[in-house]
Coordinates of all heavy atoms in Angstrom, one line a residue:
P531 N 10.7 9.8 2.7 CA 10.3 9.4 4.0 C 9.0 10.2 4.4 O 8.7 11.2 3.9 CB 11.4 9.8 4.9 CG 12.6 9.9 4.0 CD 12.1 10.2 2.7
T532 N 8.2 9.6 5.3 CA 7.0 10.2 5.7 C 6.9 10.1 7.3 O 7.5 9.2 7.9 CB 5.8 9.5 5.1 OG1 4.6 10.2 5.4 CG2 5.7 8.1 5.4
N533 N 6.0 10.9 7.8 CA 5.7 10.8 9.2 C 4.2 10.9 9.4 O 3.7 11.1 10.5 CB 6.5 11.8 10.1 CG 6.2 13.2 9.7 OD1 5.4 13.5 8.9 ND2 6.9 14.1 10.4
G534 N 3.5 10.9 8.4 CA 2.0 11.0 8.4 C 1.3 10.0 7.5 O 1.9 9.0 7.2
P535 N 0.1 10.3 7.1 CA -0.6 9.4 6.3 C 0.0 9.2 4.9 O 0.7 10.1 4.5 CB -2.0 10.0 6.2 CG -1.9 11.4 6.7 CD -0.7 11.5 7.5
V536 N -0.2 8.1 4.3 CA 0.3 7.8 3.0 C -0.9 7.8 2.0 O -1.9 7.1 2.2 CB 1.0 6.5 2.9 CG1 1.4 6.1 1.5 CG2 2.2 6.5 3.9
K537 N -0.7 8.6 0.9 CA -1.8 8.6 -0.1 C -1.3 7.8 -1.3 O -0.2 8.0 -1.8 CB -2.0 10.0 -0.6 CG -3.2 10.2 -1.5 CD -3.5 11.6 -1.8 CE -4.8 11.7 -2.7 NZ -5.1 13.1 -2.9
V538 N -2.1 6.8 -1.7 CA -1.8 5.9 -2.8 C -2.8 6.2 -4.0 O -4.0 6.3 -3.7 CB -2.0 4.4 -2.4 CG1 -1.6 3.5 -3.5 CG2 -1.2 4.2 -1.1
Q539 N -2.3 6.4 -5.2 CA -3.1 6.6 -6.4 C -2.7 5.5 -7.4 O -1.5 5.2 -7.5 CB -2.9 8.0 -6.9 CG -3.4 9.1 -6.0 CD -3.2 10.4 -6.6 OE1 -2.1 10.8 -7.0 NE2 -4.3 11.2 -6.7
W540 N -3.7 5.1 -8.2 CA -3.4 4.1 -9.2 C -4.4 4.3 -10.4 O -5.3 5.1 -10.3 CB -3.6 2.6 -8.7 CG -5.0 2.4 -8.2 CD1 -6.1 1.9 -8.8 CD2 -5.4 2.6 -6.8 NE1 -7.1 1.8 -8.0 CE2 -6.8 2.2 -6.8 CE3 -4.8 3.1 -5.7 CZ2 -7.6 2.3 -5.6 CZ3 -5.6 3.1 -4.5 CH2 -6.9 2.8 -4.5
N541 N -4.1 3.7 -11.5 CA -4.9 3.8 -12.7 C -6.3 3.3 -12.4 O -6.4 2.2 -11.9 CB -4.2 3.0 -13.8 CG -4.8 3.1 -15.1 OD1 -6.0 3.4 -15.2 ND2 -4.1 3.0 -16.2
T542 N -7.3 4.1 -12.7 CA -8.6 3.7 -12.4 C -9.1 2.5 -13.3 O -10.2 2.0 -13.0 CB -9.6 4.9 -12.6 OG1 -9.5 5.4 -13.9 CG2 -9.3 6.0 -11.6
E543 N -8.3 2.1 -14.3 CA -8.7 0.9 -15.0 C -8.5 -0.4 -14.2 O -9.1 -1.4 -14.5 CB -7.9 0.8 -16.3 CG -8.2 1.9 -17.3 CD -7.3 1.9 -18.5 OE1 -6.6 0.9 -18.7 OE2 -7.3 2.9 -19.3
L544 N -7.7 -0.3 -13.2 CA -7.5 -1.4 -12.3 C -8.8 -1.4 -11.3 O -8.9 -0.6 -10.5 CB -6.3 -1.3 -11.4 CG -5.0 -1.2 -12.2 CD1 -3.8 -1.0 -11.3 CD2 -4.7 -2.5 -13.0
T545 N -9.6 -2.4 -11.5 CA -10.9 -2.4 -10.8 C -10.9 -3.4 -9.7 O -11.5 -3.2 -8.6 CB -12.1 -2.6 -11.7 OG1 -11.9 -3.8 -12.5 CG2 -12.2 -1.4 -12.7
E546 N -10.4 -4.6 -10.0 CA -10.5 -5.7 -9.0 C -9.0 -6.0 -8.6 O -8.2 -6.3 -9.4 CB -11.2 -6.9 -9.5 CG -12.7 -6.7 -9.7 CD -13.4 -7.9 -10.2 OE1 -12.8 -9.0 -10.0 OE2 -14.5 -7.8 -10.7
G547 N -8.7 -5.9 -7.3 CA -7.4 -6.3 -6.9 C -7.2 -6.1 -5.4 O -8.2 -6.0 -4.7
R548 N -6.0 -6.1 -4.9 CA -5.7 -6.0 -3.5 C -4.6 -5.1 -3.2 O -3.7 -4.9 -4.0 CB -5.4 -7.4 -3.0 CG -6.5 -8.4 -3.2 CD -6.4 -9.5 -2.2 NE -6.7 -9.2 -0.8 CZ -7.9 -8.9 -0.3 NH1 -8.9 -9.0 -1.0 NH2 -8.0 -8.7 1.0
L549 N -4.7 -4.4 -2.1 CA -3.6 -3.6 -1.5 C -3.1 -4.3 -0.3 O -3.9 -4.7 0.6 CB -4.0 -2.2 -1.2 CG -4.2 -1.2 -2.3 CD1 -4.8 0.0 -1.8 CD2 -2.8 -0.9 -2.9
R550 N -1.8 -4.5 -0.2 CA -1.2 -5.2 1.0 C -0.1 -4.4 1.6 O 0.8 -4.0 0.8 CB -0.8 -6.6 0.7 CG -0.2 -7.3 1.9 CD 0.2 -8.7 1.5 NE -1.0 -9.5 1.3 CZ -1.1 -10.5 0.4 NH1 0.0 -10.8 -0.3 NH2 -2.2 -11.1 0.3
L551 N -0.1 -4.1 2.9 CA 1.0 -3.3 3.5 C 1.7 -4.3 4.4 O 1.1 -5.0 5.3 CB 0.4 -2.2 4.4 CG 1.4 -1.4 5.2 CD1 2.3 -0.6 4.2 CD2 0.6 -0.4 6.1
T552 N 3.0 -4.4 4.3 CA 3.8 -5.3 5.1 C 5.0 -4.6 5.7 O 5.4 -3.5 5.2 CB 4.4 -6.5 4.3 OG1 5.2 -6.0 3.2 CG2 3.3 -7.4 3.7
N553 N 5.5 -5.1 6.8 CA 6.7 -4.5 7.4 C 7.9 -5.1 6.8 O 7.9 -6.0 6.0 CB 6.6 -4.6 9.0 CG 6.6 -6.0 9.5 OD1 7.0 -7.0 8.7 ND2 6.3 -6.2 10.7
A554 N 9.1 -4.7 7.3 CA 10.4 -5.2 6.8 C 10.6 -6.7 7.0 O 11.4 -7.3 6.3 CB 11.5 -4.4 7.4
L555 N 9.9 -7.2 8.0 CA 10.0 -8.7 8.3 C 9.0 -9.5 7.4 O 9.0 -10.7 7.5 CB 9.7 -8.9 9.7 CG 10.6 -8.3 10.7 CD1 10.2 -8.5 12.2 CD2 12.1 -8.8 10.5
G556 N 8.2 -8.8 6.6 CA 7.2 -9.5 5.8 C 5.9 -9.8 6.4 O 5.0 -10.5 5.8
Q557 N 5.7 -9.3 7.6 CA 4.5 -9.5 8.3 C 3.4 -8.6 7.7 O 3.7 -7.4 7.5 CB 4.6 -9.2 9.8 CG 5.6 -10.1 10.5 CD 6.0 -9.6 11.9 OE1 6.2 -8.4 12.1 NE2 6.1 -10.5 12.8
V558 N 2.2 -9.1 7.5 CA 1.1 -8.3 6.9 C 0.5 -7.4 7.9 O 0.1 -7.9 9.0 CB 0.1 -9.3 6.2 CG1 -1.1 -8.4 5.7 CG2 0.7 -10.1 5.1
I559 N 0.5 -6.1 7.7 CA 0.0 -5.2 8.6 C -1.5 -4.9 8.2 O -2.4 -4.8 9.0 CB 0.7 -3.8 8.5 CG1 2.2 -4.0 8.8 CG2 0.2 -2.8 9.4 CD1 2.6 -4.6 10.1
R560 N -1.7 -4.8 6.9 CA -3.0 -4.5 6.4 C -3.2 -5.2 5.0 O -2.3 -5.1 4.2 CB -3.2 -3.0 6.2 CG -4.6 -2.5 6.1 CD -4.7 -1.0 6.2 NE -4.4 -0.6 7.6 CZ -3.5 0.3 8.0 NH1 -2.8 1.0 7.1 NH2 -3.4 0.6 9.3
D561 N -4.4 -5.8 4.8 CA -4.7 -6.4 3.5 C -6.1 -6.1 3.2 O -7.0 -6.4 4.0 CB -4.5 -7.9 3.6 CG -4.6 -8.7 2.3 OD1 -4.7 -8.0 1.3 OD2 -4.6 -9.9 2.4
M562 N -6.3 -5.5 2.0 CA -7.7 -5.0 1.7 C -8.0 -5.1 0.2 O -7.0 -5.1 -0.6 CB -7.9 -3.6 2.2 CG -7.0 -2.6 1.5 SD -7.1 -0.9 2.2 CE -5.7 -1.1 3.4
E563 N -9.2 -5.1 -0.1 CA -9.6 -5.1 -1.5 C -9.3 -3.7 -2.1 O -9.4 -2.7 -1.3 CB -11.1 -5.4 -1.7 CG -11.4 -6.8 -1.4 CD -12.9 -7.2 -1.7 OE1 -13.5 -6.4 -2.5 OE2 -13.3 -8.2 -1.2
L564 N -9.0 -3.6 -3.3 CA -8.7 -2.3 -4.0 C -10.0 -1.5 -4.0 O -11.0 -1.9 -4.7 CB -8.2 -2.6 -5.4 CG -7.5 -1.5 -6.1 CD1 -6.2 -1.1 -5.4 CD2 -7.2 -1.9 -7.6
P565 N -10.1 -0.4 -3.3 CA -11.3 0.4 -3.4 C -11.5 1.1 -4.7 O -10.5 1.3 -5.4 CB -11.1 1.5 -2.3 CG -9.7 1.4 -1.9 CD -9.1 0.2 -2.5
E566 N -12.7 1.5 -5.0 CA -13.0 2.2 -6.3 C -12.5 3.6 -6.2 O -12.4 4.1 -5.1 CB -14.5 2.2 -6.6 CG -15.0 0.8 -6.9 CD -16.5 0.8 -7.2 OE1 -17.0 1.9 -7.6 OE2 -17.2 -0.2 -7.1
G567 N -12.3 4.2 -7.3 CA -11.9 5.6 -7.3 C -10.5 5.9 -7.6 O -10.1 7.1 -7.9
G568 N -9.6 5.0 -7.5 CA -8.2 5.2 -7.9 C -7.3 5.9 -6.8 O -6.2 6.2 -7.1
T569 N -7.8 6.0 -5.6 CA -7.0 6.7 -4.6 C -7.4 6.1 -3.2 O -8.6 5.7 -3.0 CB -7.2 8.2 -4.6 OG1 -6.3 8.8 -3.7 CG2 -8.6 8.6 -4.3
L570 N -6.4 6.1 -2.3 CA -6.6 5.7 -0.9 C -5.6 6.4 0.0 O -4.5 6.6 -0.4 CB -6.4 4.2 -0.8 CG -6.4 3.6 0.6 CD1 -7.8 3.5 1.1 CD2 -5.7 2.2 0.6
E571 N -6.1 6.8 1.1 CA -5.2 7.4 2.1 C -5.2 6.5 3.3 O -6.3 6.2 3.8 CB -5.6 8.8 2.5 CG -4.6 9.6 3.3 CD -4.9 11.0 3.4 OE1 -5.0 11.7 2.3 OE2 -5.0 11.5 4.5
T572 N -4.0 6.1 3.8 CA -4.0 5.2 4.9 C -2.9 5.6 5.9 O -1.9 6.3 5.5 CB -3.7 3.8 4.4 OG1 -3.8 2.9 5.6 CG2 -2.4 3.6 3.8
E573 N -3.0 5.3 7.1 CA -2.0 5.6 8.2 C -1.1 4.4 8.3 O -1.5 3.2 8.1 CB -2.7 5.8 9.5 CG -3.5 7.0 9.6 CD -2.7 8.3 9.8 OE1 -1.5 8.2 10.2 OE2 -3.2 9.4 9.5
L574 N 0.2 4.6 8.6 CA 1.1 3.6 8.8 C 1.1 3.3 10.3 O 0.7 4.1 11.1 CB 2.5 4.0 8.4 CG 2.7 4.3 6.9 CD1 4.1 4.8 6.7 CD2 2.5 3.0 6.1
P575 N 1.6 2.1 10.7 CA 1.7 1.8 12.2 C 2.5 2.9 12.9 O 3.3 3.6 12.2 CB 2.3 0.4 12.2 CG 2.0 -0.1 10.9 CD 2.0 1.0 9.9
E576 N 2.4 2.9 14.2 CA 3.2 3.9 15.0 C 4.7 3.8 14.9 O 5.4 4.7 14.9 CB 2.7 3.9 16.4 CG 1.3 4.4 16.6 CD 0.9 4.5 18.1 OE1 1.8 4.6 18.9 OE2 -0.3 4.5 18.3
A577 N 5.1 2.5 14.7 CA 6.6 2.3 14.7 C 7.3 2.8 13.5 O 6.8 2.6 12.4 CB 6.8 0.8 14.9
N578 N 8.4 3.5 13.7 CA 9.2 4.0 12.6 C 9.8 2.8 11.9 O 10.1 1.7 12.6 CB 10.3 4.9 13.0 CG 9.7 6.3 13.5 OD1 8.6 6.6 13.2 ND2 10.5 7.0 14.2
G579 N 10.1 2.9 10.6 CA 10.8 1.8 9.9 C 10.4 1.7 8.5 O 9.8 2.6 7.9
M580 N 10.7 0.6 7.8 CA 10.5 0.4 6.4 C 9.2 -0.5 6.3 O 9.1 -1.5 6.9 CB 11.7 -0.3 5.8 CG 11.6 -0.3 4.3 SD 13.0 -1.0 3.4 CE 14.3 -0.7 4.4
Y581 N 8.4 -0.1 5.3 CA 7.2 -0.8 5.0 C 7.1 -1.0 3.5 O 7.7 -0.2 2.8 CB 5.9 0.0 5.5 CG 5.9 0.1 7.0 CD1 6.5 1.1 7.7 CD2 5.3 -0.9 7.8 CE1 6.5 1.2 9.0 CE2 5.3 -0.8 9.2 CZ 5.9 0.3 9.8 OH 5.9 0.3 11.1
F582 N 6.3 -1.9 3.1 CA 6.1 -2.2 1.6 C 4.7 -2.2 1.3 O 3.9 -2.9 2.0 CB 6.8 -3.5 1.2 CG 8.3 -3.5 1.4 CD1 8.8 -4.0 2.6 CD2 9.1 -3.0 0.4 CE1 10.2 -4.0 2.8 CE2 10.5 -3.0 0.6 CZ 11.0 -3.5 1.8
L583 N 4.3 -1.5 0.3 CA 2.9 -1.4 -0.2 C 2.8 -2.1 -1.5 O 3.5 -1.8 -2.4 CB 2.4 0.0 -0.3 CG 1.0 0.2 -0.6 CD1 0.1 -0.3 0.5 CD2 0.7 1.7 -0.9
E584 N 2.0 -3.2 -1.6 CA 1.9 -4.0 -2.8 C 0.5 -3.9 -3.4 O -0.5 -4.0 -2.6 CB 2.2 -5.5 -2.4 CG 2.0 -6.4 -3.6 CD 2.3 -7.9 -3.2 OE1 2.5 -8.1 -2.0 OE2 2.3 -8.7 -4.1
L585 N 0.5 -3.6 -4.6 CA -0.8 -3.5 -5.4 C -0.8 -4.6 -6.4 O 0.1 -4.8 -7.2 CB -0.9 -2.1 -6.1 CG -2.2 -1.8 -6.7 CD1 -2.5 -0.3 -6.7 CD2 -2.3 -2.3 -8.2
Q586 N -1.9 -5.4 -6.4 CA -2.1 -6.5 -7.3 C -3.4 -6.4 -8.0 O -4.4 -6.2 -7.3 CB -1.9 -7.9 -6.6 CG -0.6 -8.2 -6.2 CD -0.5 -9.6 -5.6 OE1 -1.4 -10.1 -5.0 NE2 0.6 -10.3 -5.9
S587 N -3.5 -6.6 -9.3 CA -4.7 -6.6 -10.0 C -4.5 -7.2 -11.4 O -3.7 -6.7 -12.2 CB -5.3 -5.2 -10.1 OG -6.5 -5.2 -10.9
D588 N -5.3 -8.2 -11.7 CA -5.3 -8.8 -13.1 C -4.0 -9.0 -13.7 O -3.7 -8.5 -14.8 CB -6.2 -8.0 -14.0 CG -7.7 -7.9 -13.5 OD1 -8.1 -8.9 -13.0 OD2 -8.3 -6.9 -13.7
G589 N -3.0 -9.7 -13.0 CA -1.7 -9.9 -13.6 C -0.7 -8.7 -13.4 O 0.4 -8.9 -13.7
Y590 N -1.2 -7.6 -12.9 CA -0.4 -6.5 -12.6 C 0.1 -6.5 -11.2 O -0.7 -6.8 -10.3 CB -1.1 -5.2 -12.9 CG -0.4 -3.9 -12.5 CD1 0.5 -3.4 -13.4 CD2 -0.6 -3.3 -11.3 CE1 1.2 -2.2 -13.1 CE2 0.1 -2.1 -11.0 CZ 1.0 -1.6 -11.9 OH 1.7 -0.5 -11.5
R591 N 1.3 -6.2 -10.9 CA 1.8 -6.2 -9.5 C 2.9 -5.1 -9.4 O 3.8 -5.0 -10.2 CB 2.5 -7.5 -9.2 CG 3.0 -7.6 -7.8 CD 3.5 -9.0 -7.5 NE 4.0 -9.1 -6.2 CZ 5.1 -9.8 -5.8 NH1 5.7 -10.4 -6.7 NH2 5.4 -9.8 -4.6
E592 N 2.7 -4.3 -8.4 CA 3.7 -3.2 -8.1 C 3.9 -3.2 -6.6 O 3.0 -3.2 -5.8 CB 3.2 -1.9 -8.6 CG 4.2 -0.8 -8.5 CD 3.7 0.5 -9.1 OE1 2.8 0.5 -10.0 OE2 4.3 1.6 -8.8
I593 N 5.2 -3.0 -6.2 CA 5.6 -2.9 -4.8 C 6.3 -1.6 -4.6 O 7.3 -1.3 -5.4 CB 6.4 -4.1 -4.4 CG1 5.7 -5.4 -4.6 CG2 6.9 -3.9 -2.9 CD1 6.5 -6.6 -4.3
R594 N 5.9 -0.8 -3.7 CA 6.6 0.4 -3.3 C 7.1 0.4 -1.9 O 6.4 -0.1 -1.0 CB 5.6 1.6 -3.4 CG 5.1 1.9 -4.8 CD 6.3 2.4 -5.7 NE 5.9 2.6 -7.0 CZ 6.0 3.7 -7.7 NH1 6.3 4.8 -7.1 NH2 5.6 3.8 -9.0
R595 N 8.3 0.9 -1.7 CA 8.9 1.0 -0.4 C 8.5 2.3 0.3 O 8.6 3.3 -0.4 CB 10.4 0.8 -0.5 CG 11.1 0.8 0.9 CD 12.5 0.7 0.7 NE 13.0 1.7 -0.2 CZ 14.3 2.2 -0.2 NH1 15.2 1.7 0.6 NH2 14.6 3.1 -1.1
I596 N 8.1 2.2 1.5 CA 7.8 3.4 2.3 C 8.6 3.5 3.6 O 8.7 2.5 4.3 CB 6.3 3.4 2.7 CG1 5.4 3.3 1.4 CG2 5.9 4.7 3.5 CD1 4.0 3.0 1.7
V597 N 9.3 4.6 3.8 CA 10.1 4.7 5.1 C 9.3 5.7 6.0 O 9.0 6.8 5.6 CB 11.5 5.2 4.8 CG1 12.2 5.5 6.0 CG2 12.2 4.3 3.8
K598 N 9.0 5.2 7.2 CA 8.4 6.1 8.2 C 9.5 6.6 9.2 O 10.2 5.8 9.8 CB 7.3 5.4 8.9 CG 6.6 6.3 9.9 CD 5.4 5.7 10.5 CE 4.8 6.7 11.5 NZ 3.6 6.2 12.2
Q599 N 9.5 7.9 9.4 CA 10.5 8.4 10.4 C 9.8 8.9 11.6 O 8.7 9.4 11.6 CB 11.2 9.6 9.7 CG 12.1 9.2 8.6 CD 12.9 10.4 8.0 OE1 12.5 11.5 8.2 NE2 13.9 10.1 7.3

């Protein structure tokens, strides 16, 4: 669980892709291109609850669950 910013790191070989943050209802909170450098720090919405962070790039897909308290 977290109550602050979330830091995301990925393999720097993934160059073109997307990061998508959704809430437990599947509503898209944030959708952005994968930034260069292999790391990103982002704030979650103010509401406590469960969120999902999805990373997609060249046939690769990973989803992580994030709980905000």
Side-chain angles (χ1 to χ4, degrees):
T532 184
N533 60 3
V536 174
K537 186 173 184 177
V538 183
Q539 294 180 304
W540 60 90
N541 185 330
T542 55
E543 292 176 12
L544 300 176
T545 55
E546 292 184 18
R548 300 205 65 79
L549 280 171
R550 178 177 291 149
L551 180 67
T552 59
N553 63 17
L555 299 174
Q557 298 168 320
V558 177
I559 307 297
R560 197 167 290 129
D561 187 9
M562 66 189 89
E563 290 186 20
L564 197 63
E566 293 183 19
T569 187
L570 170 76
E571 191 168 304
T572 186
E573 291 284 340
L574 295 175
E576 288 186 25
N578 291 344
M580 190 178 330
Y581 296 90
F582 296 93
L583 185 65
E584 178 182 4
L585 186 148
Q586 288 185 323
S587 177
D588 298 327
Y590 175 82
R591 181 176 180 221
E592 184 173 343
I593 300 174
R594 295 290 175 121
R595 181 178 56 154
I596 302 168
V597 177
K598 181 172 182 185
Q599 294 183 342

